[in-house]
Amino acid sequence: MLRKAVTAVSIASLVFGSSLSGIAAADNPVPAFGDLEGHWSKSEVEYLVQKGIVDGVQQNGQQVILPDKSITRAEYIKLLVSARQVKLNEPSESSFPDVASSHWALKYIEAAKANGWTDGYEDGTFKPDNQVSRAEIAVLMVRSYNLRMQEGNPVVFEDTAGHWANHYVNTAASNKIVEGDTVNGKRYFYPEKAATRAEGMAMLTRYLKTTETAGKDPKKETPAPAPSPTPAPGPSGTTSGGSSDSGSDSSSDSGTQQVTLDKDAIQNTLGGGKPVEGTDELNNKIALVGLDLSSFGGSLSDISVKLEKPNTVFSQLSVPGLTGPVIEFSTNGKSFASGTLTFNVAELSNKQNLAAAYYNETTKRFEFLPTVYNADQGTLSFTTTHNSKYVLIDKTSWEQTFRAHLSTVVDGTYKPYIDFAFIIDSSGSMGGTDPKDLRKTAVTSLVYGLKHDAASPLKTETVTVAKSVYEEGQGVHFEYPTVTNQVYSLSDRAAIIDFDNSVRTFATFSAHSSTVADAVYHIDSDGGTNIFAGVREAVKLYDTYGDTGQRKIALLLTDGQNNYATTQDDLNLLKEAFEKGITIITMGLSSQADISLLKQIAEYTGGMYFQVQTAEDLQAYFKSALENSYHEDKDQDGLDDFYEKTTGMMLENGMIIRTSTDPVNGKDTDGDGFTDLEEMGEPVDMVVTADMVPADSTLVGKTVKVFKNFKSLPTDKNDVPKP
């Protein structure tokens, strides 16, 4: 979800030590701090002092901590960077306009940014000297240590439901980093309250203590071999630069190491004996087969690569072109210079067209990475410098989605006219389920009801139509001549596709009702059922004859089971159709129809499924489908119902949101007290920049209509607009 950007936050430069000596050292002397006696945080602060992370400050001749003083962002960054033992550089310039090159915390802030912990606020600033809230500290702890919700430790705070940081606060609580207060039997966290130094230090101490405990529990962590300046003997690995069937793990004088893992080593270490692999909802499968980390400061047990289904990560948001699972890469916060991940993508049909992208959780935008595809090995590789979530995106699909929204509106209003493709089953079974050919009557009725603007000028259209020809000795066959018609320039159009074992287009898109109606009556009842042949023909028809100024809606009718096994290419075709702006409405005539498949086709293209009991009901269902295809605002929420549910509302990061079109209750889909319009904001024009699209995209500089003022998900009652 797009929420306020979270910056890193911290505690005073004089209080926290800058030494990066190992945290494991526990023999530093602990001075007596005058302001800690009797303070609730005494043991937590002294723990950090003993580790060399906190120094304290001299005040009036006494060593003090100032535990109840508020924390600034820059100060907490220094604390966290010191605790994480991050390598510091002397930056020549600042990444943030409000952090001067002379600012005392510049190198710490830049180190945090380089490790992906923070990107500042949405306006590009960092606000280093502002107080930090308790919520922001919780977020930073979760992100920097890559924490996950711990099952069995649920904590519910009364004052964080609906808060932008709710998930992070709950995650921190499940990891026993934050506790909150109990008032009248209820738990409160006070997320916007400015945190004190003691609170910031206590959160860090609690986490560090849990990692020490976990490190002693063999059930929680698998011991990793200690780095050695010489190669380990036998099959366990080789030094950096060498090769091995199982990988390498070697150290350097600086205490870091080069880690190289091949497929077998990944399975034996990261996978716990199983391949590290996963799929998306359409079963596009990838597997991790190579991992290289340079200057890595941790051990093998710190490395984690998880492959998750996209819908578990992005919830109610769709990512155009996303192929395969979401890749979550973590080194448990341990530093590394660069990491290259290699995946087997041989099973993907679009493998040569994929680009890796980093999902920036602060800006909620995708940032594309250089990606290398190796055709000989069927692998794809990308290199990163930080822990994050990564996705593989089909570059063509990504661009197609943006292009579809270039002309989402015409003169400030949504496209009013539609290109309909009627995909009609003509298999032999139709002779039994529709003996009176009522499907033809229904389609013909719709064709004569197509909308047009009678005030628009006439134009000449050219249509390819089927013509049955009888020849002596050869019987009846089809020819496909072209005809020209005078039609209104602003009008719906329709095309007729017939499918059984094979597929035929009886009429390309035409606004001339009688031309299309004549084509309808060529539909017969003979042969098998090849549903995806009809879908594939429709996609080709839109590519060849579709009008970019029209919306694209296909109506698919069948009465039987698909006689052909559904392939991966078939499933990918649905994704391709959706990304080209093609919505498919499906209808199953009789209970023998392939209902599961028809629902899947509708779901993945943003359409609807109708169960039709008898042929006599067809006309009513076709009419209903047609009426639901036009733009209206039945719930009067200020948003076009068609885009809310079907094509979707595109955010500036390319993600798509769809909501409900309930004419009674749809004004506030999730019932959170805010209308869908208040949550989505008005759509605005946005110029596409180079960082939004893959390299060499021709979309840069184009203007696209997006929901840039999106505030919260209109489908999640716990996600509400922030004041």
Side-chain angles (χ1 to χ4, degrees), residues 64-85:
V64 295
I65 289 293
L66 307 176
D68 297 317
K69 186 177 179 181
S70 61
I71 310 166
T72 70
R73 304 178 189 281
E75 291 167 347
Y76 196 78
I77 279 291
K78 182 176 181 181
L79 170 66
L80 194 60
V81 168
S82 298
R84 297 300 312 279
Q85 303 184 73

Side-chain angles (χ1 to χ4, degrees), residues 41 83 115 142 154-155 268 270 317 319 373 387 393 439 445 522 557 559 569 571 595 641 662 681 715:
S41 67
N115 279 275
V142 169
V155 179
N268 294 332
L270 309 187
L317 296 165
V319 183
Y373 171 65
N387 296 169
I393 290 178
R439 64 192 186 282
S445 176
H522 291 308
L557 169 68
D559 72 335
D569 285 344
L571 295 176
I595 297 175
D641 293 342
D662 183 333
T715 52

Side-chain angles (χ1 to χ4, degrees), residues 417-683:
Y417 298 107
I418 302 172
D419 276 350
F420 289 102
F422 292 97
I423 311 170
I424 307 301
D425 187 347
S426 65
S427 61
S429 59
M430 275 293 187
T433 54
D434 184 22
K436 298 178 182 179
D437 283 338
L438 295 178
R439 64 192 186 282
K440 299 181 185 180
T441 303
V443 173
T444 301
S445 176
L446 294 187
V447 167
Y448 277 106
L450 295 179
K451 293 184 177 182
H452 65 272
D453 182 356
S456 64
L458 293 174
K459 69 175 183 179
T460 301
E461 69 167 16
T462 301
V463 187
T464 300
V465 295
K467 177 182 179 182
S468 60
V469 178
Y470 174 78
E471 290 187 13
E472 190 71 33
Q474 296 185 17
V476 177
H477 68 276
F478 286 106
E479 294 181 354
Y480 296 89
T482 58
V483 299
T484 57
N485 302 309
Q486 291 295 300
V487 298
Y488 291 109
S489 54
L490 297 179
S491 176
D492 292 338
R493 303 190 305 167
I496 304 299
I497 298 171
D498 166 294
F499 74 93
D500 41 55
N501 287 326
S502 57
V503 64
R504 295 157 297 280
T505 294
F506 285 156
T508 57
F509 291 109
S510 172
H512 196 261
S513 297
S514 61
T515 296
V516 181
D518 288 344
V520 170
Y521 282 88
H522 291 308
I523 298 172
D524 60 6
S525 301
D526 185 45
T529 305
N530 190 344
I531 292 176
F532 276 101
V535 175
R536 186 165 281 103
E537 182 72 6
V539 173
K540 291 179 181 178
L541 202 63
Y542 281 115
D543 285 345
T544 306
Y545 300 100
D547 185 334
T548 57
Q550 309 266 103
R551 291 189 288 115
K552 307 177 183 71
I553 298 181
L555 289 91
L556 168 66
L557 169 68
T558 184
D559 72 335
Q561 297 287 318
N562 194 28
N563 295 150
Y564 297 80
T566 301
T567 67
Q568 189 62 54
D569 285 344
D570 292 334
L571 295 176
N572 289 336
L573 177 68
L574 301 180
K575 181 173 65 175
E576 178 186 346
F578 173 70
E579 288 154 0
K580 289 182 175 180
I582 302 170
T583 299
I584 304 178
I585 298 172
T586 59
M587 294 185 183
L589 176 57
S590 86
S591 59
Q592 301 303 312
D594 200 333
I595 297 175
S596 176
L597 178 59
L598 294 177
K599 286 183 176 180
Q600 185 179 42
I601 292 172
E603 176 185 354
Y604 282 107
T605 59
M608 297 169 281
Y609 169 73
F610 293 90
Q611 178 64 51
V612 185
Q613 296 302 323
T614 66
E616 284 71 18
D617 299 324
L618 277 173
Q619 188 157 343
Y621 277 100
F622 267 107
K623 182 179 179 181
S624 176
L626 189 72
E627 290 176 346
N628 278 282
S629 300
Y630 289 105
H631 285 295
E632 293 182 89
D633 186 9
K634 294 178 183 176
D635 51 16
Q636 298 183 351
D637 64 354
L639 298 171
D640 187 285
D641 293 342
F642 178 83
Y643 280 88
E644 285 191 87
K645 184 172 183 179
T646 54
T647 300
M649 297 170 284
M650 189 170 79
L651 307 181
E652 61 178 320
N653 64 1
M655 285 185 171
I656 301 292
I657 293 177
R658 291 191 294 274
T659 65
S660 125
T661 56
D662 183 333
V664 178
N665 303 308
K667 190 172 183 179
D668 178 9
T669 297
D670 53 17
D672 60 3
F674 296 90
T675 67
D676 293 346
L677 178 62
E678 288 174 322
E679 299 201 66
M680 288 301 305
E682 294 281 358

Side-chain angles (χ1 to χ4, degrees), residues 113-422:
K113 184 179 187 302
N115 279 275
W117 302 347
T118 175
D119 280 318
Y121 283 94
E122 292 176 348
D123 61 1
T125 63
F126 187 81
K127 300 178 176 64
D129 301 315
N130 281 15
Q131 293 179 343
V132 63
S133 70
R134 289 163 53 84
E136 289 175 318
I137 289 185
V139 172
L140 186 60
M141 286 293 299
V142 169
R143 287 181 174 172
S144 60
Y145 282 102
N146 197 34
L147 303 179
R148 294 292 176 265
M149 187 73 71
Q150 298 300 307
E151 300 296 332
N153 296 329
V155 179
V156 177
F157 295 108
E158 296 294 318
D159 55 351
T160 61
H163 191 275
W164 63 271
N166 181 54
H167 169 72
Y168 295 97
V169 172
N170 290 341
T171 300
S174 76
N175 282 272
K176 300 182 178 180
I177 294 174
V178 300
E179 298 175 345
D181 294 332
T182 301
V183 180
N184 296 326
K186 296 182 178 181
R187 300 285 289 276
Y188 294 88
F189 183 72
Y190 312 112
E192 294 302 319
K193 181 182 177 182
T196 65
R197 301 172 186 270
E199 290 170 337
M201 287 186 275
M203 291 186 199
L204 178 59
T205 294
R206 289 168 190 159
Y207 176 71
L208 294 178
K209 284 186 175 181
T210 61
T211 59
E212 286 184 352
T213 303
K216 297 175 183 178
D217 186 349
K219 296 180 180 179
K220 295 184 178 181
E221 180 175 5
T222 301
S228 170
T230 58
S236 61
T238 64
T239 56
S240 175
S243 61
S244 168
D245 290 338
S246 58
S248 68
D249 183 0
S250 63
S251 64
S252 67
D253 293 338
S254 64
T256 61
Q257 55 189 317
Q258 177 77 28
V259 174
T260 300
L261 302 175
D262 64 6
K263 177 181 177 181
D264 292 337
I266 288 169
Q267 178 169 324
N268 294 332
T269 56
L270 309 187
K274 298 180 180 179
V276 178
E277 59 188 19
T279 69
D280 58 17
E281 287 76 23
L282 295 179
N283 296 319
N284 289 297
K285 179 181 177 181
I286 66 173
L288 182 67
V289 294
L291 177 65
D292 292 274
L293 293 178
S294 64
S295 301
F296 179 48
S299 62
L300 290 179
S301 61
D302 291 313
I303 304 172
S304 171
V305 179
K306 296 180 180 179
L307 306 182
E308 304 179 61
K309 297 242 184 222
N311 61 6
T312 65
V313 177
F314 298 119
S315 184
Q316 299 159 74
L317 296 165
S318 299
V319 183
L322 192 154
T323 303
V326 176
I327 304 159
E328 187 168 353
F329 167 56
S330 170
T331 58
N332 196 27
K334 300 300 190 296
S335 63
F336 61 95
S338 68
T340 299
L341 284 74
T342 300
F343 292 89
N344 181 347
V345 295
E347 296 184 25
L348 304 181
S349 59
N350 59 340
K351 48 187 170 287
Q352 299 183 57
N353 202 40
L354 295 175
Y358 147 59
Y359 183 63
N360 188 320
E361 294 195 43
T362 300
T363 64
K364 303 303 179 187
R365 292 178 66 172
F366 294 95
E367 300 174 10
F368 286 88
L369 302 171
T371 308
V372 177
Y373 171 65
N374 187 316
D376 293 335
Q377 299 179 12
T379 60
L380 179 147
S381 302
F382 64 88
T383 300
T384 181
T385 58
H386 58 271
N387 296 169
S388 187
K389 293 182 176 70
Y390 299 87
V391 293
L392 303 183
I393 290 178
D394 187 304
K395 294 179 287 187
T396 300
S397 296
W398 182 265
E399 291 217 358
Q400 285 171 342
T401 302
F402 268 77
R403 288 187 183 282
H405 286 76
L406 290 177
S407 54
T408 294
V409 295
V410 178
D411 297 329
T413 59
Y414 286 114
K415 299 175 184 177
Y417 298 107
I418 302 172
D419 276 350
F420 289 102
F422 292 97

